[in-house]
Amino acid sequence: NSNPGEGKLIETIATLNKAKPENVVLGAGSQEILKTSVRAFTSPFRPLVTGAPTFENCTGLCRRLGHPVHEVKVDSQFRINLEEMLTVVRGAGLVFLNNPNNPTATVHSAKAVQNFVERVRRISPDTVILIDEAYHDYVTDPNYQTAIPLALSTPNVFVARTFSKAYGMAGLRIGYGIGEADTIKPMARLKMPYNISVFGIAAAIASLNDPK
């Protein structure tokens, strides 16, 4: 249930990230990835843990499904409050960590993200952590790094990316999730068939092959 070229796009994303095709799932923008993760990992008994304010996609769908949501207010610097999130993470189905955070334009360092992931894994090993890096390409903080290598080497962690921002392809609706194969599998099962267009696939492959 995929369009021509989809396998080639998955392969291109995988190769760029030293991963395999089974580590990647495509979405109609990263919004589909976010919504699919809510469907895959939250339930009436498995809450979503998220920031406030943050990108509201996961929060909105979770509420519509009637699944519980723990919204954790950002700190005094408008950063996602990782310490507070840890206090409500036990038993959660999904943690949504938008880094950099939209709409507060704040970012956590690679070290802070890694430390947070390690602590979540200790407190609540079954909880899945979604790190949304939609604004990755705009970060100027030298302490920031993508969490993709962390996701590829850690169970229950994945990164969402989109072509809508820096690639200027918002209307073409292409995003992807990347992580360990077992983390990606439940989302690959739920993805909408033929979810991205042939034109979008061609544009995404061309963009990835020409970063300049």
Side-chain angles (χ1 to χ4, degrees):
N1 286 358
S2 63
N3 279 324
E6 203 170 292
K8 179 80 166 62
L9 175 55
I10 287 173
E11 222 167 87
T12 306
I13 293 165
T15 304
L16 281 173
N17 292 289
K18 300 179 178 63
K20 295 191 172 86
E22 57 265 33
N23 299 120
V24 179
V25 61
L26 297 176
S30 53
Q31 287 204 29
E32 189 191 349
I33 301 297
L34 270 52
K35 286 175 170 165
T36 301
S37 68
V38 166
R39 291 189 180 101
F41 304 120
T42 70
S43 78
F45 315 101
R46 308 270 292 157
L48 167 72
V49 173
T50 185
T54 193
F55 190 54
E56 61 284 337
N57 221 288
C58 290
T59 316
L61 179 60
C62 229
R63 292 225 161 97
R64 284 198 298 282
L65 293 172
H67 299 174
V69 179
H70 294 305
E71 282 188 284
V72 176
K73 278 204 173 73
V74 294
D75 68 18
S76 58
Q77 270 88 54
F78 299 105
R79 292 185 312 176
I80 297 278
N81 195 328
L82 302 178
E83 286 298 321
E84 278 299 305
M85 273 187 170
L86 288 167
T87 65
V88 291
V89 83
R90 193 183 301 280
L94 183 69
V95 173
F96 178 67
L97 171 56
N98 197 194
N99 193 48
N101 186 40
N102 168 18
T104 64
T106 51
V107 70
H108 280 293
S109 70
K111 205 172 172 186
V113 171
Q114 184 168 359
N115 177 44
F116 176 71
V117 166
E118 282 169 6
R119 290 170 74 189
V120 171
R121 302 268 313 128
R122 275 205 301 276
I123 297 166
S124 190
D126 292 338
T127 299
V128 175
I129 304 161
L130 158 51
I131 303 165
D132 181 354
E133 294 183 347
Y135 290 89
H136 160 82
D137 303 274
Y138 299 96
V139 183
T140 52
D141 185 335
N143 296 312
Y144 166 87
Q145 267 164 257
T146 176
I148 288 175
L150 180 66
L152 287 168
S153 60
T154 313
N156 288 344
V157 179
F158 73 100
V159 169
R161 285 286 189 87
T162 179
F163 286 88
S164 295
K165 312 299 179 199
Y167 290 91
M169 287 166 51
L172 293 180
R173 312 307 307 136
I174 301 207
Y176 61 92
I178 183 165
E180 279 197 350
D182 284 346
T183 314
I184 294 301
K185 230 176 259 161
M187 290 189 293
R189 273 201 299 271
L190 289 171
K191 96 175 179 66
M192 192 169 65
Y194 308 109
N195 58 345
I196 58 176
S197 70
V198 175
F199 182 61
I201 290 164
I205 293 169
S207 300
L208 290 173
N209 287 324
D210 187 7
K212 278 194 184 71

